[in-house]
Amino acid sequence: MVTNSTLNAWFRLEVLPREPVLTRFIGRHWRSSDEVLDIRQDVYERALLGASRALPDLPGPYIFTVARNVMINRGRRAKIVMIDLVAE
């Protein structure tokens, strides 16, 4: 486990400087610009959760892999149609 102070320092030094690039990356790959900031927040949450177990050796690729996975998961959930809606 990583201590909170180490995790906070890692996030501040390795993740936050990439915020503008991450935001543009999400904006280029997501269809709704209204959701970009929400997705970025989800990326931060999942990145912190993963890094709390062990800090990644390559923080840049790690953050963008997390972002890609968050967008894939959101896309999958968006394609799910409730059976009640189909029946009507």
Side-chain angles (χ1 to χ4, degrees):
M1 285 303 269
V2 177
T3 65
N4 280 339
S5 60
T6 302
L7 187 60
N8 289 338
W10 172 81
F11 187 80
R12 188 176 59 253
L13 296 172
E14 299 291 345
V15 177
L16 285 181
R18 292 177 169 87
E19 184 172 291
V21 178
L22 176 63
T23 304
R24 285 193 302 273
F25 174 79
I26 296 167
R28 277 194 317 269
H29 293 89
W30 194 251
R31 62 191 167 274
S32 173
S33 61
D34 294 340
E35 297 178 18
V36 169
L37 298 181
D38 289 338
I39 293 171
R40 189 182 68 198
Q41 195 64 32
D42 286 348
V43 170
Y44 288 162
E45 181 181 351
R46 292 193 187 174
L48 282 169
L49 181 64
S52 69
R53 294 181 206 114
L55 294 180
D57 292 331
L58 300 170
Y62 171 71
I63 294 299
F64 289 97
T65 298
V66 171
R68 182 181 60 88
N69 291 339
V70 166
M71 289 187 284
I72 288 170
N73 289 339
R74 278 187 173 229
R76 285 181 184 155
R77 281 193 306 255
K79 289 182 180 177
I80 297 173
V81 177
M82 296 187 64
I83 293 174
D84 296 341
L85 294 176
V86 175
E88 291 176 10

Coordinates of all heavy atoms in Angstrom, one line a residue:
M1 N 0.8 -1.2 0.0 CA 0.0 0.0 0.0 C 0.9 1.3 0.0 O 1.9 1.3 0.6 CB -0.9 0.0 1.2 CG -2.1 -0.9 1.2 SD -3.2 -0.7 -0.2 CE -4.3 0.4 0.5
V2 N 0.4 2.3 -0.6 CA 1.1 3.5 -0.7 C 0.5 4.5 0.3 O -0.8 4.5 0.4 CB 0.9 4.1 -2.2 CG1 1.6 5.5 -2.3 CG2 1.5 3.2 -3.2
T3 N 1.3 5.2 1.0 CA 0.8 6.2 2.0 C 0.0 7.3 1.3 O 0.3 7.6 0.1 CB 1.9 6.7 2.8 OG1 2.8 7.5 2.0 CG2 2.7 5.6 3.5
N4 N -0.9 7.9 2.0 CA -1.6 9.0 1.5 C -0.7 10.2 1.0 O -1.0 10.8 0.0 CB -2.7 9.5 2.5 CG -3.9 8.7 2.5 OD1 -4.2 7.9 1.5 ND2 -4.7 8.7 3.6
S5 N 0.3 10.5 1.8 CA 1.2 11.6 1.5 C 1.9 11.3 0.2 O 2.1 12.2 -0.7 CB 2.1 12.0 2.6 OG 2.9 10.9 2.9
T6 N 2.4 10.1 0.0 CA 3.1 9.7 -1.2 C 2.1 9.7 -2.4 O 2.5 10.2 -3.5 CB 3.7 8.3 -1.0 OG1 4.6 8.3 0.1 CG2 4.4 7.8 -2.3
L7 N 0.9 9.2 -2.2 CA -0.1 9.2 -3.3 C -0.4 10.7 -3.7 O -0.5 11.0 -4.9 CB -1.3 8.5 -2.8 CG -2.4 8.2 -3.9 CD1 -1.8 7.4 -5.0 CD2 -3.6 7.5 -3.2
N8 N -0.6 11.5 -2.7 CA -0.9 12.9 -3.0 C 0.2 13.6 -3.8 O 0.0 14.4 -4.7 CB -1.3 13.7 -1.7 CG -2.6 13.3 -1.2 OD1 -3.5 12.8 -1.8 ND2 -2.8 13.5 0.1
A9 N 1.4 13.3 -3.3 CA 2.6 13.9 -4.0 C 2.7 13.4 -5.5 O 3.0 14.2 -6.4 CB 3.9 13.6 -3.2
W10 N 2.5 12.1 -5.6 CA 2.5 11.5 -7.0 C 1.5 12.2 -7.9 O 1.8 12.5 -9.0 CB 2.3 10.0 -6.9 CG 2.1 9.4 -8.2 CD1 3.1 9.0 -9.1 CD2 0.9 9.0 -8.8 NE1 2.5 8.4 -10.2 CE2 1.2 8.4 -10.1 CE3 -0.5 9.2 -8.5 CZ2 0.2 8.0 -11.0 CZ3 -1.4 8.7 -9.3 CH2 -1.1 8.1 -10.6
F11 N 0.3 12.3 -7.4 CA -0.8 12.9 -8.1 C -0.5 14.3 -8.5 O -0.7 14.7 -9.7 CB -2.1 12.8 -7.3 CG -3.3 13.3 -8.1 CD1 -3.9 12.4 -9.0 CD2 -3.8 14.5 -8.0 CE1 -5.0 12.8 -9.7 CE2 -5.0 14.9 -8.7 CZ -5.5 14.0 -9.6
R12 N 0.0 15.1 -7.6 CA 0.3 16.5 -7.8 C 1.5 16.6 -8.8 O 1.4 17.5 -9.7 CB 0.7 17.2 -6.5 CG 0.8 18.6 -6.5 CD 1.1 19.3 -5.2 NE 2.3 18.7 -4.5 CZ 2.2 17.9 -3.5 NH1 1.1 17.5 -3.0 NH2 3.3 17.5 -2.9
L13 N 2.5 15.8 -8.7 CA 3.7 15.9 -9.6 C 3.6 15.2 -10.9 O 4.1 15.7 -11.9 CB 4.9 15.4 -8.8 CG 5.3 16.2 -7.6 CD1 6.4 15.5 -6.8 CD2 5.7 17.6 -7.9
E14 N 2.8 14.1 -11.0 CA 2.8 13.3 -12.2 C 1.5 13.4 -13.0 O 1.5 13.2 -14.2 CB 3.1 11.8 -11.8 CG 4.4 11.6 -11.2 CD 5.6 11.8 -12.1 OE1 5.4 11.8 -13.4 OE2 6.7 11.8 -11.6
V15 N 0.4 13.6 -12.3 CA -0.9 13.6 -13.0 C -1.4 15.0 -13.3 O -1.7 15.2 -14.5 CB -1.9 12.8 -12.1 CG1 -3.3 12.8 -12.8 CG2 -1.5 11.4 -11.9
L16 N -1.4 15.8 -12.4 CA -2.0 17.2 -12.6 C -1.3 18.0 -13.7 O -2.0 18.7 -14.5 CB -2.0 18.0 -11.3 CG -3.1 17.6 -10.3 CD1 -3.1 18.5 -9.1 CD2 -4.5 17.7 -11.0
P17 N 0.0 17.8 -13.9 CA 0.7 18.5 -15.0 C 0.2 18.0 -16.4 O 0.3 18.8 -17.4 CB 2.2 18.3 -14.8 CG 2.3 18.0 -13.4 CD 1.1 17.3 -13.0
R18 N -0.4 16.9 -16.4 CA -0.9 16.3 -17.7 C -2.4 16.6 -17.9 O -3.0 16.2 -18.9 CB -0.7 14.8 -17.7 CG 0.7 14.3 -17.7 CD 0.8 12.8 -17.7 NE 2.2 12.4 -18.0 CZ 3.2 12.3 -17.1 NH1 2.9 12.6 -15.8 NH2 4.3 11.8 -17.5
E19 N -3.0 17.4 -17.0 CA -4.4 17.7 -17.1 C -4.8 18.3 -18.5 O -5.8 17.9 -19.1 CB -4.8 18.6 -16.0 CG -6.3 18.8 -16.0 CD -6.8 19.5 -14.7 OE1 -6.7 18.9 -13.7 OE2 -7.2 20.7 -14.8
P20 N -4.1 19.3 -19.0 CA -4.6 19.9 -20.3 C -4.5 18.9 -21.4 O -5.4 18.8 -22.3 CB -3.6 21.0 -20.5 CG -3.0 21.4 -19.2 CD -3.0 20.1 -18.4
V21 N -3.5 18.1 -21.5 CA -3.3 17.1 -22.5 C -4.4 16.0 -22.4 O -5.0 15.5 -23.3 CB -1.9 16.5 -22.5 CG1 -1.7 15.4 -23.5 CG2 -0.9 17.5 -22.7
L22 N -4.6 15.6 -21.1 CA -5.6 14.6 -20.8 C -7.0 15.1 -21.3 O -7.8 14.3 -21.9 CB -5.6 14.2 -19.4 CG -6.7 13.2 -18.9 CD1 -6.5 11.9 -19.6 CD2 -6.6 13.1 -17.4
T23 N -7.3 16.3 -20.9 CA -8.6 16.9 -21.3 C -8.8 16.9 -22.8 O -9.9 16.6 -23.3 CB -8.8 18.3 -20.7 OG1 -8.6 18.2 -19.3 CG2 -10.1 18.9 -21.0
R24 N -7.7 17.3 -23.5 CA -7.8 17.3 -25.0 C -8.0 15.9 -25.6 O -8.7 15.7 -26.5 CB -6.6 18.0 -25.6 CG -6.6 19.5 -25.5 CD -5.5 20.2 -26.4 NE -4.2 19.7 -26.1 CZ -3.4 20.2 -25.1 NH1 -3.8 21.2 -24.4 NH2 -2.2 19.7 -25.0
F25 N -7.3 15.0 -25.0 CA -7.4 13.6 -25.4 C -8.8 13.1 -25.2 O -9.4 12.5 -26.2 CB -6.4 12.7 -24.5 CG -6.5 11.2 -24.8 CD1 -5.9 10.7 -25.9 CD2 -7.2 10.4 -23.9 CE1 -6.0 9.3 -26.1 CE2 -7.3 9.1 -24.1 CZ -6.7 8.5 -25.2
I26 N -9.4 13.3 -24.1 CA -10.8 12.9 -23.9 C -11.7 13.6 -24.9 O -12.6 13.0 -25.5 CB -11.2 13.1 -22.4 CG1 -10.4 12.3 -21.5 CG2 -12.7 12.8 -22.2 CD1 -10.5 12.7 -20.0
G27 N -11.5 14.9 -25.0 CA -12.4 15.6 -26.0 C -12.3 15.2 -27.4 O -13.3 15.2 -28.1
R28 N -11.1 14.7 -27.8 CA -11.0 14.2 -29.2 C -11.6 12.8 -29.4 O -12.0 12.5 -30.5 CB -9.5 14.1 -29.5 CG -8.8 15.3 -30.0 CD -7.5 15.1 -30.7 NE -6.7 14.1 -30.0 CZ -5.8 14.4 -29.0 NH1 -5.6 15.7 -28.7 NH2 -5.0 13.5 -28.5
H29 N -11.7 12.1 -28.3 CA -12.2 10.7 -28.4 C -13.6 10.4 -27.9 O -14.1 9.3 -27.9 CB -11.2 9.7 -27.7 CG -9.9 9.7 -28.4 ND1 -8.8 10.5 -28.1 CD2 -9.4 8.9 -29.4 CE1 -7.8 10.3 -28.9 NE2 -8.1 9.3 -29.7
W30 N -14.2 11.5 -27.4 CA -15.5 11.3 -26.8 C -16.5 12.1 -27.6 O -16.2 13.3 -28.0 CB -15.6 11.7 -25.3 CG -16.8 11.2 -24.7 CD1 -17.9 12.0 -24.2 CD2 -17.2 9.8 -24.4 NE1 -18.8 11.2 -23.7 CE2 -18.5 9.9 -23.8 CE3 -16.6 8.6 -24.6 CZ2 -19.1 8.7 -23.4 CZ3 -17.2 7.5 -24.2 CH2 -18.5 7.5 -23.6
R31 N -17.7 11.6 -27.9 CA -18.7 12.3 -28.7 C -19.3 13.5 -28.1 O -19.8 14.4 -28.8 CB -19.7 11.3 -29.2 CG -20.5 10.7 -28.1 CD -21.3 9.5 -28.5 NE -21.9 8.8 -27.4 CZ -21.3 7.8 -26.7 NH1 -20.0 7.5 -27.1 NH2 -21.8 7.2 -25.7
S32 N -19.5 13.5 -26.8 CA -20.2 14.6 -26.2 C -19.2 15.5 -25.3 O -18.7 15.0 -24.3 CB -21.3 14.1 -25.2 OG -21.9 15.1 -24.5
S33 N -19.0 16.7 -25.8 CA -18.1 17.6 -25.1 C -18.6 18.0 -23.7 O -17.8 18.4 -22.8 CB -17.9 18.9 -25.9 OG -19.1 19.6 -26.0
D34 N -19.9 17.8 -23.4 CA -20.5 18.1 -22.1 C -20.0 17.1 -21.0 O -20.0 17.4 -19.9 CB -22.0 18.0 -22.1 CG -22.6 19.1 -23.0 OD1 -21.9 20.1 -23.2 OD2 -23.8 19.0 -23.4
E35 N -19.5 15.9 -21.5 CA -19.1 14.9 -20.5 C -17.6 14.8 -20.3 O -17.2 14.0 -19.5 CB -19.6 13.5 -21.0 CG -21.1 13.5 -21.1 CD -21.6 12.1 -21.6 OE1 -20.8 11.2 -21.7 OE2 -22.8 12.1 -22.1
V36 N -16.9 15.6 -21.0 CA -15.4 15.5 -20.9 C -14.9 15.7 -19.4 O -14.1 14.9 -19.0 CB -14.7 16.6 -21.8 CG1 -13.2 16.7 -21.6 CG2 -15.0 16.2 -23.3
L37 N -15.4 16.7 -18.7 CA -14.9 17.0 -17.4 C -15.3 15.8 -16.4 O -14.6 15.5 -15.5 CB -15.4 18.3 -16.9 CG -14.9 19.5 -17.7 CD1 -15.4 20.8 -17.1 CD2 -13.4 19.5 -17.8
D38 N -16.5 15.3 -16.6 CA -16.9 14.2 -15.8 C -16.1 12.9 -16.0 O -15.7 12.2 -15.1 CB -18.4 13.8 -16.1 CG -19.4 14.8 -15.6 OD1 -19.0 15.6 -14.7 OD2 -20.5 14.8 -16.1
I39 N -15.7 12.7 -17.3 CA -14.8 11.6 -17.6 C -13.5 11.8 -17.0 O -12.9 10.9 -16.4 CB -14.8 11.4 -19.1 CG1 -16.1 10.9 -19.7 CG2 -13.7 10.4 -19.5 CD1 -16.2 10.9 -21.2
R40 N -13.0 13.0 -17.1 CA -11.7 13.3 -16.5 C -11.7 13.0 -15.0 O -10.7 12.5 -14.4 CB -11.3 14.7 -16.8 CG -9.8 15.0 -16.4 CD -9.4 16.5 -16.6 NE -10.2 17.3 -15.7 CZ -10.4 18.6 -15.8 NH1 -9.9 19.2 -16.9 NH2 -11.1 19.3 -14.9
Q41 N -12.7 13.4 -14.3 CA -12.9 13.2 -12.9 C -12.9 11.7 -12.6 O -12.3 11.2 -11.7 CB -14.1 13.8 -12.4 CG -14.2 13.9 -10.9 CD -13.1 14.8 -10.3 OE1 -12.7 15.8 -10.9 NE2 -12.6 14.5 -9.1
D42 N -13.6 10.9 -13.4 CA -13.6 9.4 -13.3 C -12.2 8.9 -13.5 O -11.8 7.9 -12.8 CB -14.5 8.8 -14.3 CG -16.0 9.0 -13.9 OD1 -16.3 9.4 -12.8 OD2 -16.8 8.7 -14.8
V43 N -11.5 9.4 -14.4 CA -10.1 9.0 -14.7 C -9.2 9.2 -13.4 O -8.5 8.3 -13.0 CB -9.5 9.7 -15.9 CG1 -8.0 9.4 -16.0 CG2 -10.2 9.3 -17.2
Y44 N -9.3 10.4 -12.9 CA -8.6 10.7 -11.7 C -8.9 9.7 -10.5 O -8.0 9.2 -9.8 CB -8.9 12.1 -11.2 CG -8.3 13.2 -12.1 CD1 -8.7 14.5 -12.0 CD2 -7.2 12.9 -13.0 CE1 -8.2 15.5 -12.7 CE2 -6.7 13.9 -13.7 CZ -7.2 15.2 -13.6 OH -6.6 16.2 -14.4
E45 N -10.2 9.5 -10.4 CA -10.6 8.6 -9.3 C -10.0 7.2 -9.5 O -9.5 6.6 -8.5 CB -12.2 8.5 -9.3 CG -12.7 7.6 -8.2 CD -14.2 7.6 -8.2 OE1 -14.9 8.3 -8.9 OE2 -14.8 6.7 -7.5
R46 N -10.1 6.6 -10.7 CA -9.6 5.3 -10.9 C -8.1 5.2 -10.9 O -7.5 4.2 -10.5 CB -10.2 4.8 -12.3 CG -11.7 4.5 -12.2 CD -12.2 3.8 -13.3 NE -13.6 3.7 -13.3 CZ -14.4 3.2 -14.2 NH1 -13.8 2.7 -15.2 NH2 -15.7 3.2 -14.0
A47 N -7.5 6.3 -11.4 CA -6.0 6.3 -11.3 C -5.5 6.3 -9.9 O -4.6 5.6 -9.6 CB -5.5 7.6 -12.1
L48 N -6.2 7.1 -9.1 CA -5.8 7.1 -7.7 C -6.0 5.8 -7.0 O -5.2 5.4 -6.2 CB -6.5 8.3 -6.9 CG -6.0 9.7 -7.1 CD1 -6.9 10.7 -6.6 CD2 -4.6 9.8 -6.5
L49 N -7.1 5.2 -7.3 CA -7.4 3.9 -6.7 C -6.4 2.8 -7.1 O -5.9 2.1 -6.3 CB -8.8 3.4 -7.2 CG -9.3 2.1 -6.6 CD1 -9.4 2.1 -5.1 CD2 -10.6 1.7 -7.2
G50 N -6.0 2.8 -8.4 CA -5.0 1.9 -8.8 C -3.6 2.2 -8.2 O -2.9 1.3 -7.8
A51 N -3.3 3.5 -8.2 CA -2.0 3.9 -7.7 C -1.9 3.7 -6.2 O -0.8 3.7 -5.7 CB -1.7 5.3 -8.1
S52 N -3.0 3.6 -5.5 CA -2.9 3.4 -4.0 C -2.4 2.1 -3.7 O -1.9 1.9 -2.6 CB -4.3 3.6 -3.4 OG -5.2 2.6 -3.8
R53 N -2.4 1.1 -4.6 CA -1.9 -0.2 -4.4 C -0.4 -0.2 -4.7 O 0.4 -0.8 -3.9 CB -2.6 -1.2 -5.3 CG -4.0 -1.4 -4.9 CD -4.7 -2.5 -5.8 NE -6.2 -2.2 -5.8 CZ -6.8 -1.8 -6.9 NH1 -6.2 -1.7 -8.0 NH2 -8.1 -1.5 -6.8
A54 N 0.0 0.4 -5.8 CA 1.4 0.6 -6.2 C 1.5 1.7 -7.2 O 0.7 1.7 -8.2 CB 1.9 -0.8 -6.7
L55 N 2.4 2.6 -7.0 CA 2.6 3.7 -8.0 C 3.1 3.1 -9.3 O 4.0 2.2 -9.4 CB 3.6 4.7 -7.5 CG 3.2 5.5 -6.2 CD1 4.3 6.4 -5.8 CD2 1.9 6.2 -6.5
P56 N 2.5 3.5 -10.4 CA 3.0 3.0 -11.7 C 4.3 3.6 -12.1 O 4.7 4.7 -11.7 CB 1.9 3.6 -12.7 CG 1.3 4.7 -12.0 CD 1.4 4.5 -10.5
D57 N 5.1 2.7 -12.8 CA 6.4 3.1 -13.2 C 6.4 4.2 -14.3 O 7.2 5.1 -14.4 CB 7.2 1.9 -13.8 CG 7.5 0.9 -12.7 OD1 7.7 1.3 -11.5 OD2 7.6 -0.3 -13.0
L58 N 5.4 4.1 -15.2 CA 5.2 5.1 -16.3 C 3.9 5.8 -16.1 O 2.8 5.4 -16.6 CB 5.3 4.4 -17.6 CG 6.6 3.6 -17.9 CD1 6.4 2.8 -19.1 CD2 7.7 4.6 -18.0
P59 N 3.9 6.9 -15.4 CA 2.6 7.6 -15.0 C 1.8 8.1 -16.3 O 0.6 8.1 -16.3 CB 3.0 8.7 -14.1 CG 4.4 8.7 -14.0 CD 5.0 7.6 -14.7
G60 N 2.5 8.6 -17.3 CA 1.9 9.1 -18.5 C 1.0 8.1 -19.2 O -0.2 8.2 -19.3
P61 N 1.7 7.0 -19.6 CA 0.9 6.0 -20.3 C -0.2 5.4 -19.4 O -1.3 5.0 -19.9 CB 2.0 4.9 -20.6 CG 3.2 5.7 -20.7 CD 3.1 6.8 -19.7
Y62 N 0.1 5.3 -18.1 CA -0.9 4.8 -17.1 C -2.2 5.6 -17.2 O -3.3 5.1 -17.3 CB -0.3 4.7 -15.7 CG -1.3 4.4 -14.6 CD1 -1.8 3.1 -14.5 CD2 -1.7 5.4 -13.7 CE1 -2.7 2.8 -13.5 CE2 -2.6 5.1 -12.7 CZ -3.1 3.8 -12.6 OH -4.0 3.5 -11.6
I63 N -2.0 6.9 -17.1 CA -3.2 7.9 -17.0 C -4.0 7.7 -18.3 O -5.2 7.7 -18.3 CB -2.7 9.3 -16.8 CG1 -2.1 9.5 -15.4 CG2 -3.8 10.3 -17.0 CD1 -3.0 9.2 -14.3
F64 N -3.3 7.7 -19.5 CA -4.0 7.6 -20.7 C -4.7 6.2 -20.9 O -5.7 6.1 -21.6 CB -3.1 8.0 -21.9 CG -2.9 9.5 -21.9 CD1 -1.7 10.0 -21.3 CD2 -3.8 10.4 -22.4 CE1 -1.5 11.3 -21.3 CE2 -3.6 11.8 -22.3 CZ -2.4 12.2 -21.8
T65 N -4.1 5.2 -20.4 CA -4.7 3.9 -20.4 C -6.0 3.9 -19.6 O -7.0 3.3 -20.0 CB -3.7 2.8 -20.0 OG1 -2.6 2.8 -20.9 CG2 -4.4 1.4 -20.0
V66 N -5.9 4.5 -18.4 CA -7.1 4.6 -17.6 C -8.2 5.4 -18.3 O -9.3 5.0 -18.3 CB -6.7 5.2 -16.2 CG1 -8.0 5.5 -15.4 CG2 -5.8 4.3 -15.4
A67 N -7.8 6.5 -18.9 CA -8.8 7.3 -19.6 C -9.4 6.5 -20.8 O -10.7 6.5 -20.9 CB -8.1 8.5 -20.2
R68 N -8.6 5.8 -21.5 CA -9.2 4.9 -22.6 C -10.2 3.9 -22.0 O -11.3 3.7 -22.6 CB -8.1 4.2 -23.3 CG -8.5 3.4 -24.5 CD -7.3 2.7 -25.2 NE -6.6 1.8 -24.3 CZ -6.9 0.6 -24.1 NH1 -7.9 0.0 -24.7 NH2 -6.2 -0.2 -23.3
N69 N -9.8 3.3 -20.9 CA -10.7 2.2 -20.3 C -12.0 2.9 -19.8 O -13.0 2.3 -19.9 CB -9.9 1.5 -19.3 CG -8.8 0.6 -19.8 OD1 -8.9 0.2 -21.0 ND2 -7.9 0.2 -19.0
V70 N -11.9 4.0 -19.2 CA -13.1 4.7 -18.7 C -14.0 5.0 -19.9 O -15.2 4.8 -19.8 CB -12.7 6.0 -17.9 CG1 -13.9 6.9 -17.7 CG2 -12.0 5.6 -16.6
M71 N -13.5 5.5 -21.0 CA -14.3 5.8 -22.1 C -14.9 4.6 -22.7 O -16.1 4.6 -23.1 CB -13.5 6.6 -23.2 CG -13.2 8.0 -22.7 SD -12.5 9.1 -24.0 CE -10.8 8.5 -23.9
I72 N -14.1 3.5 -22.8 CA -14.7 2.2 -23.3 C -15.8 1.8 -22.4 O -16.9 1.4 -22.9 CB -13.6 1.2 -23.4 CG1 -12.6 1.5 -24.6 CG2 -14.2 -0.2 -23.6 CD1 -11.4 0.7 -24.6
N73 N -15.6 1.8 -21.1 CA -16.7 1.3 -20.2 C -17.9 2.2 -20.3 O -19.1 1.7 -20.3 CB -16.2 1.3 -18.8 CG -15.2 0.2 -18.6 OD1 -15.2 -0.8 -19.3 ND2 -14.4 0.3 -17.5
R74 N -17.8 3.5 -20.5 CA -18.9 4.4 -20.6 C -19.6 4.1 -21.9 O -20.9 4.2 -22.0 CB -18.5 5.9 -20.6 CG -18.3 6.4 -19.2 CD -18.1 7.9 -19.2 NE -18.1 8.4 -17.9 CZ -18.8 9.5 -17.5 NH1 -19.5 10.1 -18.4 NH2 -18.8 9.9 -16.3
G75 N -18.9 3.9 -23.0 CA -19.5 3.6 -24.3 C -20.3 2.3 -24.2 O -21.4 2.2 -24.8
R76 N -19.8 1.3 -23.5 CA -20.5 0.0 -23.4 C -21.8 0.2 -22.6 O -22.8 -0.3 -23.0 CB -19.6 -1.0 -22.7 CG -18.6 -1.6 -23.5 CD -17.8 -2.6 -22.8 NE -16.7 -3.1 -23.6 CZ -15.6 -3.6 -23.1 NH1 -15.4 -3.7 -21.8 NH2 -14.6 -4.0 -23.9
R77 N -21.7 1.0 -21.5 CA -22.9 1.2 -20.7 C -24.0 2.0 -21.5 O -25.2 1.8 -21.4 CB -22.6 2.0 -19.4 CG -22.0 1.1 -18.4 CD -22.0 1.8 -17.0 NE -21.3 3.1 -17.1 CZ -20.1 3.3 -16.6 NH1 -19.5 2.3 -16.0 NH2 -19.6 4.5 -16.7
A78 N -23.5 2.9 -22.4 CA -24.5 3.7 -23.2 C -25.2 2.9 -24.2 O -26.3 3.2 -24.6 CB -23.7 4.8 -23.9
K79 N -24.6 1.7 -24.6 CA -25.2 0.9 -25.6 C -26.3 -0.1 -25.0 O -27.0 -0.7 -25.7 CB -24.2 0.1 -26.4 CG -23.3 0.9 -27.3 CD -22.3 0.1 -28.0 CE -21.5 1.0 -28.9 NZ -20.5 0.2 -29.6
I80 N -26.3 -0.2 -23.7 CA -27.2 -1.1 -23.1 C -28.6 -0.4 -23.1 O -28.8 0.7 -22.7 CB -26.8 -1.3 -21.6 CG1 -25.5 -2.1 -21.5 CG2 -27.9 -2.1 -20.9 CD1 -24.9 -2.2 -20.2
V81 N -29.6 -1.2 -23.6 CA -31.0 -0.7 -23.8 C -31.8 -1.5 -22.8 O -31.8 -2.7 -22.7 CB -31.5 -0.9 -25.2 CG1 -32.9 -0.5 -25.3 CG2 -30.6 -0.2 -26.2
M82 N -32.6 -0.8 -22.0 CA -33.4 -1.5 -21.0 C -34.5 -2.2 -21.8 O -35.1 -1.7 -22.7 CB -34.0 -0.5 -20.0 CG -32.9 0.2 -19.2 SD -33.6 1.2 -17.9 CE -34.4 0.0 -16.9
I83 N -34.8 -3.4 -21.3 CA -35.8 -4.3 -21.9 C -37.2 -3.6 -21.9 O -38.0 -3.7 -22.8 CB -35.8 -5.7 -21.2 CG1 -34.5 -6.4 -21.5 CG2 -37.0 -6.5 -21.7 CD1 -34.3 -7.7 -20.8
D84 N -37.5 -2.9 -20.8 CA -38.8 -2.2 -20.7 C -39.0 -1.2 -21.9 O -40.1 -1.1 -22.4 CB -38.9 -1.4 -19.4 CG -38.9 -2.4 -18.2 OD1 -39.2 -3.6 -18.4 OD2 -38.6 -1.9 -17.1
L85 N -37.9 -0.5 -22.3 CA -38.0 0.4 -23.4 C -38.2 -0.3 -24.7 O -39.0 0.2 -25.6 CB -36.8 1.3 -23.5 CG -36.5 2.2 -22.3 CD1 -35.2 3.0 -22.4 CD2 -37.7 3.2 -22.2
V86 N -37.6 -1.4 -24.9 CA -37.8 -2.2 -26.1 C -39.2 -2.7 -26.2 O -39.8 -2.7 -27.3 CB -36.7 -3.3 -26.2 CG1 -37.0 -4.2 -27.4 CG2 -35.3 -2.7 -26.3
A87 N -39.8 -3.2 -25.1 CA -41.1 -3.8 -25.1 C -42.2 -2.7 -25.4 O -43.2 -3.1 -26.0 CB -41.4 -4.4 -23.7
E88 N -41.9 -1.5 -25.1 CA -42.9 -0.5 -25.4 C -42.9 -0.1 -26.8 O -43.7 0.3 -27.5 CB -42.7 0.8 -24.5 CG -43.0 0.5 -23.1 CD -42.6 1.7 -22.2 OE1 -42.3 2.8 -22.7 OE2 -42.6 1.5 -21.0

